[in-house]
């Protein structure tokens, strides 16, 4: 069962113009990264399937099934640094045919591919990774979090260059 990740986040749409609208799901999504991930979620695909089935839209691509997280990340081709993959393990399915699930042991976060990918690019995961694995890069002021997301992304890019993404444990 999905946790119901909120891809739209809460922000004032009138003040922001950098969101992307998913007309199929009738939601506004905050970034290109979140939009790419959203297009692969079961919720989006079910709504798209229903529209295709009744002839309201045509699907210009084949729906993919991924064999693992790395294949999924390669498919998405995100413009985001991914760090801490050595903290990620594949979770055994409860039943045959269940969707792939992964656990981030660093953050104690378990989810299917789209949700886990959102987690891996989140401020929370990046900050926890840097604080525990790269304290030499922790230079931000905990009381001033105005630009923390941008700072953490920049620090994550340094980690990818110096240490790589890490390797998922299977």
């Amino acid at each position: 069962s999905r946790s119901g990740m909120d891809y739209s986040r809460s922000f004032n749409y009138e003040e922001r113009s950098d969101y992307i609208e998913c007309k199929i799901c009738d939601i506004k999504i905050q970034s290109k990264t979140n939009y790419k991930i959203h297009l692969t979620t079961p919720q989006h695909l079910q709504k798209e399937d229903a529209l295709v089935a009744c002839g309201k839209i045509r699907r210009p691509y084949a729906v993919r099934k991924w064999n693992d997280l790395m294949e999924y990340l390669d498919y998405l081709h995100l413009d985001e640094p991914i760090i801490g993959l050595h903290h990620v393990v594949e979770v055994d399915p409860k039943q045959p045919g269940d969707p792939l699930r992964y656990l981030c042991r660093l953050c104690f976060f378990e989810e299917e591919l789209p949700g886990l990918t959102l987690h891996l690019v989140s401020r929370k995961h990046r900050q926890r990774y840097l604080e525990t694995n790269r304290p030499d890069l922790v230079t931000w002021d905990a009381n001033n979090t105005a630009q923390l997301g941008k700072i953490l992304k920049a620090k994550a890019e340094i980690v990818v260059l110096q240490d790589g993404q890490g390797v998922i444990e299977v």
Side-chain angles (χ1 to χ4, degrees), residues 59-102:
R59 182 178 281 138
Y61 59 92
V63 176
R64 293 273 318 256
K65 267 258 197 227
W66 295 275
N67 296 311
D68 58 44
L69 178 59
M70 292 311 297
E71 188 179 291
Y72 179 70
L73 291 174
D74 287 344
Y75 169 81
L76 290 174
H77 195 69
L78 300 177
D79 185 27
E80 292 282 340
I82 306 287
I83 57 175
L85 289 180
H86 62 282
H87 291 289
V88 175
V89 307
E90 189 172 340
V91 176
D92 288 332
K94 291 179 176 45
Q95 299 176 25
D98 278 355
L100 292 172
R101 292 186 73 81
Y102 289 84

Side-chain angles (χ1 to χ4, degrees), residues 30-165:
Q30 188 172 356
S31 70
K32 185 175 179 181
T33 294
N34 289 358
Y35 182 73
K36 283 179 162 182
I37 295 167
H38 166 77
L39 293 177
T40 68
T41 63
Q43 298 91 331
H44 174 85
L45 293 172
Q46 286 171 353
K47 289 177 183 174
E48 194 175 68
D49 286 345
L51 293 172
V52 168
C54 67
K56 291 189 177 179
I57 66 168
R58 289 177 41 160
R59 182 178 281 138
Y61 59 92
V63 176
R64 293 273 318 256
K65 267 258 197 227
W66 295 275
N67 296 311
D68 58 44
L69 178 59
M70 292 311 297
E71 188 179 291
Y72 179 70
L73 291 174
D74 287 344
Y75 169 81
L76 290 174
H77 195 69
L78 300 177
D79 185 27
E80 292 282 340
I82 306 287
I83 57 175
L85 289 180
H86 62 282
H87 291 289
V88 175
V89 307
E90 189 172 340
V91 176
D92 288 332
K94 291 179 176 45
Q95 299 176 25
D98 278 355
L100 292 172
R101 292 186 73 81
Y102 289 84
L103 170 68
C104 172
R105 292 182 298 195
L106 178 66
C107 304
F108 307 104
F109 183 86
E110 182 180 327
E111 186 58 86
E112 293 175 17
L113 292 173
L116 184 81
T117 304
L118 284 172
H119 170 73
L120 292 172
V121 299
S122 72
R123 284 199 305 185
K124 177 182 176 182
H125 175 78
R126 288 175 174 165
Q127 184 170 353
R128 185 164 286 154
Y129 178 87
L130 292 165
E131 290 170 350
T132 58
N133 293 269
R134 290 297 305 268
D136 58 307
L137 293 176
V138 178
T139 57
W140 55 86
D141 178 1
N143 297 319
N144 182 10
T145 60
Q147 295 294 313
L148 188 56
K150 290 179 182 175
I151 293 168
L152 292 170
K153 182 177 180 179
K155 301 289 183 168
E157 288 170 349
I158 292 169
V159 169
V160 169
L161 289 172
Q162 294 179 350
D163 306 336
Q165 295 180 318

